[in-house]
Amino acid sequence: MMLFALQPDRLRDEEITELEECLKSLIVHQSINNNTAVKGCPSPNSPSLPCPSQGGSLSPQVTFIFQGQQFANRTLTPDDHQKFAKLVSKKWKQVGRSLQKNCRALRDPVIDNLALEYDREGLYEQAYQLLLRFIQSEGKKATIARLVAALEENGLISLAEELLGLHSNEDCS
């Protein structure tokens, strides 16, 4: 019984994506270079193509453009997390649905469950838990660029500006 508690019940999205890419690379590599091998099963003597984690085709972009300005892309910080939860208000679900396009951990049932589970705690806690799920599942790929894009898609330009430091702190007090 204790053994089950130590095992993860799911892989993080970035790990699943990397595994899928590695598998695709192996299948393509094997079918082209080793017609006698079973597709997808590497032979011990054949070199395999590097996985994305080694070469970085999945690595996040370094900069992004918002309102004509270039910003450094970075992973979300605890400060970003707090500001988002405090300022997103009722639109946290819409932002979650925008983020779900590239994040398996934020499917509709998850978003609905967060709404129900944290209903008594209010909008702040619901939004906080949403972004927490995103950060936990995406790891280093939970970037400011992805969050800003989701905010922009939902008309929350002032919140995006706040996260990027374009507003004075008077606006969020």
Side-chain angles (χ1 to χ4, degrees):
M1 185 116 179
M2 191 67 158
L3 179 63
F4 292 112
L6 299 175
Q7 294 177 347
D9 60 338
R10 68 185 193 284
L11 290 174
R12 290 178 26 200
D13 278 358
E14 65 186 40
E15 293 168 341
I16 291 171
T17 304
E18 283 187 26
L19 289 172
E20 288 172 346
E21 292 300 317
C22 288
L23 181 60
K24 286 178 192 174
S25 295
L26 284 174
I27 291 171
V28 169
H29 185 296
Q30 291 300 319
S31 64
I32 292 172
N33 294 327
N34 195 355
N35 291 331
T36 59
V38 176
K39 273 190 178 182
C41 297
S43 65
N45 299 330
S46 71
S48 64
L49 295 174
C51 285
S53 60
Q54 297 164 352
S57 71
L58 293 175
S59 62
Q61 62 199 39
V62 178
T63 61
F64 68 100
I65 304 292
F66 175 72
Q67 294 187 336
Q69 295 181 40
Q70 191 168 11
F71 293 91
N73 196 9
R74 56 179 170 72
T75 56
L76 294 170
T77 65
D79 189 45
D80 297 330
H81 198 167
Q82 294 283 335
K83 281 183 185 176
F84 171 81
K86 183 178 179 183
L87 300 172
V88 72
S89 189
K90 296 176 185 177
K91 289 203 171 186
W92 70 270
K93 277 186 173 183
Q94 290 94 314
V95 174
R97 289 191 177 100
S98 294
L99 289 171
Q100 82 180 189
K101 294 173 187 168
N102 298 312
C103 179
R104 292 182 182 138
L106 294 180
R107 295 296 181 229
D108 281 330
V110 173
I111 293 172
D112 293 337
N113 285 340
L114 288 173
L116 290 172
E117 191 173 343
Y118 296 98
D119 183 46
R120 287 185 172 202
E121 286 85 357
L123 293 173
Y124 173 89
E125 190 61 28
Q126 291 168 328
Y128 186 89
Q129 293 297 327
L130 171 85
L131 203 57
L132 181 62
R133 293 279 169 100
F134 177 67
I135 291 167
Q136 287 175 338
S137 70
E138 295 296 294
K140 292 177 184 172
K141 292 194 312 182
T143 61
I144 192 71
R146 290 177 70 186
L147 182 56
V148 164
L151 293 170
E152 211 172 357
E153 188 176 311
N154 290 284
L156 296 168
I157 303 301
S158 62
L159 177 49
E161 290 171 344
E162 184 67 43
L163 291 171
L164 294 170
L166 298 175
H167 280 178
S168 65
N169 287 338
E170 299 167 6
D171 295 342
C172 65
S173 46

